[in-house]
Each structure stands twice: as C-alpha cells, then as structure tokens.
Amino acid sequence: MAGQLSIAKALNEALRKSLESDPKTVLMGEDIGKLGGVFRITDGLQKDFGEGRVIDTPLAESGIMGTAIGLALRGYRPVVEIQFDGFVYPAFDQIVSQLAKMHARSLGHVKMPVTVRIPYAGGIGAVEHHSESHEAYFAHTAGLKVVTPSNAHDAHWMLRQAIASDDPVIFLEPKRRYWDKGEVGDAADLPLHSARIVRPGADATLIAYGPMVKVCQEAAAAAEEDGRSLEVVDLRSLSPVDFAALEESVKRTGRGIVVHEAPVFLGMGAELAARLTERCFYHLEAPILRVGGYYAPYPPSRVEEAFLPDLDRVLDAVDRALAY
Amino acid sequence: MTVKSTARARKKAAPGVPDNLRAGSGSAPELVQLLTPEGDRVEHPDFPLTATPEELRGLYRDLVLVRRFDAEATSLQRQGELGLWASLLGQEAAQVGSGRAMRPGDYAFPTYREHGVAWCRDVDPLNLLGMFRGVNHGGWDPNEKNFHLYTIVIGAQALHATGYAMGITKDGADDAVIAYFGDGASSQGDVNEAFTFASVYNSPVVFFCQNNQWAISEPTTTQTRIPLYRRASGFGFPGVRVDGNDVLACLAVTRWALDHARSGNGPVLIEAFTYRMGAHTTSDDPTRYRLTEETEAWKAKDPILRLKAHLDKEGLADEAFFAEVEAASEALGLRVREGVRSMPDPDPTLIFDHVYAEPHAQVAEDRAEYIAYAASFEGGEHH
Ligand SMILES: Cc1ncc(C[n+]2csc(CCOP(=O)(O)OP(=O)(O)O)c2C)c(N)n1
C-alpha cells in the first residue's frame, strides 16, 4: 500500500483494512453507504462489505452513539462517523456520560472499543456548525482517548490503531487537510499516544496538532530565512498527552508556543502551558505562549481568516517569546 | 397520478414496507389533494377550500417568485458568490401553501431550506443569503416578521417552536406556531421530545414535516417504517398527509391545523408528501444515490405547472397577468443578484460584537488583542 495518498484516501484504506481484518468491525453513520459519506471517506466500502458492515443509520446522533455502545457490549467494534463536528453535540451525553465511563463503572469487565470519527475544525469556508474545534470537551473527559493526525501516514495508522484499541477513541480528522497528499508507509512507527518531532530546531518549540501542524511547519520554514531555528512537535494524541516528548523538547529550546484553532481560553494550550511550566520552569527563557482562536463562536466564513491562527500569528508569538 | 416505484427503491424497501413509503410513490389513499397534477380541482370532505381567482393568482405569483429566487441563489453559488445553497426546488407548494395559511401573529420556526415560507412572512430574501455567503450566521430579527433564524442542527428548532407555543398558552393568546423539518429530522430525539412536550402541554404548534423523500442520500425508509404522519397518533395528536406539490391542499390543511391548534386542541403533525428536485445542497451529488427516472416521475407533479394548468383551464388569468409575473420575477432576480454582489464582507471585529448581551471581560481582552495585532501590520490591515 505504500505510496502517495491523500489523507482522505489513507483513512478510506485504513477502514478497509480494519473491516477486512476483523469481522466484528462495523461502520455506522449518516450517508456513509452509497454516498460514501459527505467527504467520501467511506467510499466504496458498503459496496464491498455490504449493508450489514457499513450501516447507513437514521439521522440521529444520540441514537447512533447509543446503539454503538450496545453493539460494543455485544462484542462488536463500531466505528462511528459523525458527519460534521457541530453535529456531535446531540451525541455528547452518550459519549461523555456513557461511553467514557462504562469500563470504570464495570470495574474493567466491559470494554468499549468504539471509534468516533469526526471531521473537525475550520478553514473550508463552511456555514455555521461545520468548523468547530471541540477537542477540549472530549480531552477533559477521563475514559476517552482523543487523537488527531496531521498527515496521510498518521491518518492511516492512527485510525487502524484507534479501531484496534479496546478503549473509546475520539478520532478527529482535520477536514481542511483531507486532500493533502503524503507518503503512507507500511507500518505504524509510533504508538498511538506518542508525539512526533516533525522538524528539529533549537530556538523554540512549536507545539501543534491536526490542521495547525502544517501552519507551524510553514512558519518554521519562514523563520529559518530569518536565521531562527524552530522545532515543530506534532502532538498527535490529545489524551493522553506525551508530556515526556514535550518536556524534552522545551527543556532543550527553552521556549514553547502552543498553537491550536480552538479558543485559547481553557483550551488544550492552557493545560500544556501549565504543565510545561511546572516541569520545565528552570529551563524556560520565556513563558509558554499560546496562539489560537478567540473567545467567540466560530465566525462566519468571510472573517474566519481573522479567527484562525496563520503563519503571521505564529511568527508574531515567536518574536514575543524570543524577546524575553 | 400513480407513479411506479423505481427498481432500486423497491430493492431498498424491506418486505412489509407500505408502498406509500417508497420514494416515487405518491398514490396513498390518505393523501389530501385539492388540485390534480393535471390542474383539476377535487373536493376533500374534511378540507374544503374556497379560493377566489385573485387568491389563486396570488399563490401562483408566490410560487413563481420563490422558484426564481431559489434559482438565482443556485446560480450565484455556482458563480462563487455564495459558499453553499440549499435549494427548495420542488417544494414551493408545501412552503407557500403552509406559509400563506399563517396569520400575522403566528410564528414560524424554519430549518435551512424554508425560503418560500420566509417569502410569505415578508422576510427580505437578501436576508436569507448572508449566512450562505458567509457574512453572518442569520442576522435578521426573528421577532420582526415572526420568522425564526434558520437552524442547521437537524431538529433542534422543533423544541424551540414547542416552547414558544407553550408561552402562547401561558399568555392566553390566540396565536399558533409552525415548526418545519424534514423526514430525516423525524428521527432525531429533539423532534420526538418536541412531540411529547407539545402533546402533554396541549401546545398550539403545528409540526410541518416536508417529506421530500431524501435526507441527503438516505431514503425515507432509513428513517421510518410507517408513514410519517402516523407517528402523531403514538404521541396522542392528529397527523395528516397532504400532497406537498398541491399548494391548495397545503393551504387548506395547514389553515385547518393552525386553527385546530390555536383553539386549544393541541398539536397537529402534517406530512407534506413532496420531492426534492435538486441536490441536497450545492455540494451534494445526487447521481450517487438516486435514479433520474425517479426525479423525472416527480417532474410530472410540478406544483407550478399544475396551478398554471388550472388557471388556464378555468380562464382565471390572462396574458397580461402572466407577463406581469414574469416581469416581477426578472426584477427579483436582478435585485437578488445585485444585492448579493454588493453585500460587503463584515469587519473582522464582528467576531466579538455580539457574543454576550452584557460586557464580558474575556471577549473584551481578546478583542483588544486582535485589534492591536491587526494594527501591527502596515496600514493596520491584517492581510
Ligand atoms: C444534527 C445534525 N446531524 C447531521 C446534519 C447534517 N445534515 C444536514 S441536512 C441533513 C439531511 C436532512 O434531511 P431532512 O431532515 O430530510 O431534511 P431535508 O434536507 O431533506 O429537507 C443532514 C444529515 C445536521 N445538519 N445536523
């Protein structure tokens, strides 16, 4: 399978492989059958695996999530597609009150191998409810794993690892990167919970995940022209966080900047900055800075550029960090 | 007006699924119809309607103008002026019929496709386009025309409508509410919870389900195995299935339902049996999931052609009338086109403008941060 694939195709291949390797794996969601999902991530799968494995569900997210929990109780491995980020909230109660807690409540007797795939975040000029970054809600809930890939290789392997996991995984797909292509190798080179240094550097560490990894790589490339060496770490997993990798990098560079699309206030960056400050205090040359969305609803598409962190906002934060 | 169900629709429907559930069928005996596809008036014992020639011409005018507005928006999307458009093509009669049944004090809660209802509520069509262009998330004052903001999260507005209706009861007012939603939405918990609340509080709300046969790629059989209007009986209120391509039947049935509701008899579910002629939205590709034969069969039931046939047959309108409607349609098209093209992008600080009704320190801080950041660029412009 190795070769250049778009993230969308890499995910499609991952679902196919998972369906092939485990007859208990089932896909569920709205429009995932004939249509192949609104982003075509499940394209062709119902044709090849049948309506019993790739299930077009009624239009009811709480229903989809709740029945997936029931199927998991019966020994199945459901992979649920939520059509867009903003439509997961009707299923939120099932996810945080039921799915996340079942293993703990049964003192480990019940496993919940459920994967919830959600195309998330903005940048595609969509209407309301189609650009939300809700990772903090899920990461805040113990019992869920939360992961998000940033490239085709990780998209493929992280999805396969997520489906194979016996714990529930919220699998966030950066929708504006679906069409980005990259090499997909034929093995997972990292465990699901690991962060990855995608660009080594010495002056500051940019910490990002999902759609913002590319922005940070571009910022690092631009900074290099000014003689600045930025390290870029792709978090990959938001729960658990690979703090060991972050700590090692930030101690080395002395500066950390967390970049995400979600509002900064009480976002992932708040947790990362607090812990890194606690753990790296004597190595820090500057406070850990955060770049992200504002404390406001995701705006109408004509002004989303002002809301989304871009290369300039990242470089501006780099300037501030280096000025200490 | 029997239409063969398509081969694929037949395959999709499991044994035991009533014929009248299948996409392409529209021959159910319980379908209330007052105007045949050929343009002939028929009587229904429960839903009599006397419409003057002037009223009939008015409905025709509405249908034509609403279709024109919709077509204009579709082409504006193709020209890149709108990010997305949800077309109502084929559903004009359901929307104009039910919209014209409302009294001024009644209140409508739409989804995202009720452009024809908005028209009847006298909402400026340009208001509807802001959200699809990406300059706002709604923007109009719902209380000005008693037409709520579009709701994109499927089914959520059914509960808002019910709560509003509960308020009407508390006020002892003589008004009623209509909640619009699709056949797909009937599966949502919110819609079923709305049925429960409306029923137990006997609220004056009419649930108007436009069964256009599809929820994106999923046929109605993926949502229900009984005709949708029959759901009502399980919740304890009446359900009626009306020919959704017959503007007269939609008018008569909705008028009855609103009066029923406002007279203290509680909710009604109307299932307008119709068809979405176009794509779900401009980003959808219906060739992946439905057959052109099915769409063709529904063309024969076109809501505008049938009213036109009636006006012609009965000699209720002359050339001058049709010419006037045509001219009005051209003028509307032009107004919409120019209006959209000159719709300015909002100032980015709009992001912070209405997050709270009262001052909020966090928003104020983020706003100041944004303004300082934008000002740091040459000329104060961000990009
Ligand atoms: C809660 C929620 N889930 C999914 C969607 C995505 N979505 C938008 S429209 C639609 C189909 C709606 O079908 P129906 O209710 O029949 O209304 P129609 O568009 O056919 O008028 C879906 C699944 C959504 N908007 N909200």
Side-chain angles (χ1 to χ4, degrees):
Chain A
M1 182 200 54
Q4 291 276 321
L5 296 181
S6 67
I7 287 186
K9 186 67 186 157
L11 292 166
N12 178 273
E13 285 292 323
L15 293 171
R16 176 177 292 281
K17 293 262 153 56
S18 298
L19 285 162
E20 271 165 11
S21 64
D22 181 358
K24 292 290 189 187
T25 299
V26 292
L27 312 190
M28 306 169 69
E30 295 156 11
D31 301 292
I32 68 169
K34 276 207 182 68
L35 192 66
V38 292
F39 288 108
R40 311 285 184 261
I41 306 302
T42 56
D43 200 14
L45 298 178
Q46 189 181 68
K47 187 162 103 343
D48 295 342
F49 294 92
E51 293 181 12
R53 305 278 311 276
V54 180
I55 306 166
D56 263 335
T57 62
L59 208 179
E61 285 76 11
S62 182
I64 297 170
M65 205 53 245
T67 54
I69 291 171
L71 279 159
L73 288 169
R74 179 74 193 175
Y76 285 86
R77 203 168 271 279
V79 184
V80 163
E81 174 172 301
I82 298 293
Q83 199 156 76
F84 269 96
D85 34 52
F87 310 142
V88 75
Y89 301 113
F92 196 68
D93 175 51
Q94 287 287 348
I95 294 174
V96 302
S97 308
Q98 305 299 330
L99 182 66
K101 297 184 163 74
M102 212 65 92
H103 189 254
R105 285 176 56 216
S106 68
L107 300 181
H109 290 293
V110 166
K111 293 190 173 50
M112 279 289 128
V114 179
T115 303
V116 185
R117 296 181 35 242
I118 313 176
Y120 88 116
I124 63 162
V127 294
E128 213 187 358
H129 310 299
H130 292 71
S131 303
E132 314 250 310
S133 293
H134 36 36
E135 62 269 24
Y137 296 128
F138 296 114
H140 191 67
T141 301
L144 302 174
K145 290 184 187 172
V146 184
V147 303
T148 175
S150 69
N151 60 62
H153 178 84
D154 280 353
H156 181 91
W157 287 104
M158 286 170 68
L159 183 53
R160 289 186 65 184
Q161 289 168 318
I163 296 171
S165 168
D166 279 339
D167 283 311
V169 181
I170 306 297
F171 191 90
L172 302 170
E173 302 174 359
K175 66 171 91 75
R176 76 159 119 160
R177 306 284 180 230
Y178 270 146
W179 304 278
D180 286 8
K181 286 193 168 176
E183 189 73 19
V184 177
D186 36 41
D189 42 10
L190 287 177
L192 188 57
H193 65 267
S194 312
R196 178 204 301 274
I197 295 175
V198 291
R199 181 188 174 104
D203 299 337
T205 302
L206 299 178
I207 301 167
Y209 51 85
M212 281 296 132
V213 173
K214 189 170 173 180
V215 170
C216 288
Q217 285 173 297
E218 286 166 358
E224 191 176 358
E225 290 171 22
D226 297 335
R228 283 171 177 175
S229 167
L230 302 181
E231 179 146 309
V232 180
V233 180
D234 179 355
L235 208 50
R236 294 173 77 256
S237 173
L238 313 185
S239 175
V241 170
D242 184 356
F243 276 109
L246 298 184
E247 226 180 292
E248 192 278 320
S249 173
V250 168
K251 279 182 177 165
R252 195 157 31 73
T253 64
R255 293 177 174 86
I257 297 158
V258 189
V259 182
H260 55 59
E261 281 191 33
V264 167
F265 185 69
L266 283 173
M268 279 299 296
E271 179 64 32
L272 300 179
R275 288 220 194 204
L276 288 171
T277 303
E278 285 169 15
R279 295 179 187 189
C280 311
F281 190 70
Y282 293 108
H283 297 80
L284 289 176
E285 307 285 342
I288 307 283
L289 300 180
R290 289 167 293 162
V291 179
Y294 298 107
Y295 195 59
Y298 195 89
S301 59
R302 293 268 170 159
V303 288
E304 72 180 336
E305 269 185 40
F307 185 88
L308 290 171
D310 60 5
L311 189 130
D312 286 332
R313 277 194 30 216
V314 175
L315 291 176
D316 191 64
V318 170
D319 285 346
R320 279 186 285 134
L322 287 166
Y324 276 90
Chain B
M1 62 166 285
T2 308
V3 173
K4 278 199 309 267
S5 59
T6 65
R8 199 171 50 72
R10 197 174 280 132
K11 187 174 146 250
K12 183 87 201 162
V17 173
D19 228 19
N20 56 17
L21 263 181
R22 292 180 183 154
S25 89
S27 55
E30 62 271 54
L31 195 71
V32 177
Q33 191 179 74
L34 299 183
L35 188 64
T36 69
E38 294 74 35
D40 297 317
R41 277 300 304 271
V42 283
E43 292 301 324
H44 192 287
D46 299 332
F47 303 101
L49 181 79
T50 37
T52 64
E54 199 187 341
E55 282 171 321
L56 293 173
R57 286 193 297 268
L59 291 170
Y60 177 81
R61 195 169 191 278
D62 287 337
L63 294 173
V64 170
L65 292 184
V66 162
R67 179 169 292 182
R68 177 52 186 260
F69 165 67
D70 184 70
E72 201 63 50
T74 301
S75 59
L76 283 165
Q77 195 281 334
R78 296 212 178 99
Q79 294 159 22
E81 298 288 346
L82 301 177
L84 183 82
W85 183 244
S87 165
L88 63 40
L89 187 65
Q91 301 179 220
E92 296 90 348
Q95 297 194 11
V96 167
S98 60
R100 287 294 176 213
M102 266 180 259
R103 291 197 206 154
D106 294 343
Y107 210 110
F109 285 81
T111 66
Y112 41 75
R113 207 191 287 286
E114 270 68 72
H115 324 310
V117 183
W119 173 264
C120 296
R121 298 309 286 176
D122 207 18
V123 174
D124 186 337
L126 281 167
N127 271 338
L128 307 178
L129 298 172
M131 135 175 237
F132 292 100
R133 186 171 170 85
V135 302
N136 60 42
H137 285 324
W140 65 88
D141 173 4
N143 292 321
E144 199 185 316
K145 302 287 166 62
N146 285 5
F147 184 78
H148 190 65
L149 301 171
Y150 276 0
T151 298
I152 286 182
V153 177
I154 301 292
Q157 76 282 3
L159 282 165
H160 310 157
T162 302
Y164 191 95
M166 288 161 65
I168 291 177
T169 308
K170 284 186 188 303
D171 294 345
D174 183 31
D175 299 318
V177 179
I178 296 199
Y180 288 89
F181 53 87
D183 50 309
S186 71
S187 296
Q188 284 287 3
D190 277 5
V191 171
N192 289 273
E193 292 176 28
F195 289 174
T196 298
F197 275 69
S199 178
V200 301
Y201 295 117
N202 215 40
S203 308
V205 56
V206 173
F207 297 107
F208 195 94
C209 176
Q210 288 171 83
N211 178 359
N212 64 11
Q213 313 301 328
W214 294 94
I216 311 188
S217 74
E218 299 188 348
T220 309
T221 45
T222 302
Q223 317 295 339
T224 180
R225 291 293 165 123
I226 62 157
L228 279 171
Y229 75 96
R230 286 195 209 149
R231 288 258 181 107
S233 74
F235 289 91
F237 52 89
V240 183
R241 177 180 271 187
V242 60
D243 182 340
N245 287 21
D246 171 352
V247 70
L248 300 185
C250 289
L251 175 67
V253 169
T254 312
R255 203 176 260 166
W256 169 82
L258 286 166
D259 284 341
H260 176 93
R262 83 173 89 251
S263 320
N265 298 310
V268 176
L269 171 63
I270 298 173
E271 177 192 2
F273 203 79
T274 180
Y275 194 81
R276 154 165 65 77
M277 294 301 294
H280 169 70
T281 66
T282 42
S283 31
D284 175 41
D285 173 12
T287 62
R288 280 185 161 245
Y289 55 82
R290 72 183 188 189
L291 300 171
T292 29
E293 294 92 276
E294 181 186 302
T295 318
E296 286 303 311
W298 276 90
K299 244 189 205 163
K301 303 180 200 179
D302 185 80
I304 300 187
L305 293 182
R306 84 167 70 174
L307 187 53
K308 170 100 174 30
H310 182 64
L311 294 175
D312 285 343
K313 275 185 191 177
E314 305 292 322
L316 299 174
D318 56 14
E319 298 248 318
F321 167 75
F322 291 114
E324 184 273 319
V325 172
E326 183 52 32
S329 153
E330 280 304 311
L332 176 65
L334 186 66
R335 184 164 86 80
V336 167
R337 210 155 50 239
E338 288 181 344
V340 166
R341 292 204 176 121
S342 59
M343 206 179 269
D345 279 2
D347 186 288
T349 52
L350 168 85
I351 293 173
F352 308 100
D353 282 351
H354 305 288
V355 184
Y356 293 91
E358 294 171 1
H360 187 286
Q362 186 62 51
V363 176
E365 187 182 321
D366 282 22
R367 181 195 190 99
E369 183 189 311
Y370 172 78
I371 289 171
Y373 174 70
S376 72
F377 287 83
E378 221 179 338
E381 278 292 321
H382 184 182
H383 285 280

